[in-house]
Amino acid sequence: MAEYFADILPQLPQTLTRKDIANYFGTLISPRYLANLDCAGKGPRKITIGRKVAYKLEDFINWLEARVKEEPLQ
């Protein structure tokens, strides 16, 4: 997993809800944004239990890493 998330990984549970993600990542990723991505089939692989949605930590981080773009220094 990327160096970007190395500091936070030990603090995260193995399964994350959308609310957990909002708590850890603040306004970067909101529960509503994740729900919209899930409906479009563009979100991380999810686990559903009834109406509740969760993500395995590894699946979420892999998805997030694929979306990270670095801007070159000028």
Side-chain angles (χ1 to χ4, degrees):
M1 294 188 195
E3 61 200 54
Y4 301 108
F5 309 109
D7 292 342
I8 194 170
L9 285 176
Q11 301 170 35
L12 297 174
Q14 291 300 304
T15 304
L16 299 161
T17 65
R18 290 177 179 152
K19 189 173 180 179
D20 290 334
I21 292 168
N23 289 337
Y24 287 108
F25 291 90
T27 58
L28 288 174
I29 304 171
S30 72
R32 187 177 203 154
Y33 177 64
L34 281 170
N36 288 339
L37 288 175
D38 285 343
C39 286
K42 297 180 180 181
R45 192 166 71 178
K46 64 183 177 179
I47 301 165
T48 55
I49 302 170
R51 294 175 51 189
K52 300 290 183 181
V53 174
Y55 308 93
K56 286 190 202 175
L57 177 60
E58 184 176 354
D59 292 338
F60 175 74
I61 294 297
N62 289 337
W63 171 83
L64 190 58
E65 284 178 336
R67 299 177 66 88
V68 170
K69 295 180 184 171
E70 276 191 80
E71 296 293 323
L73 295 175
Q74 295 182 15

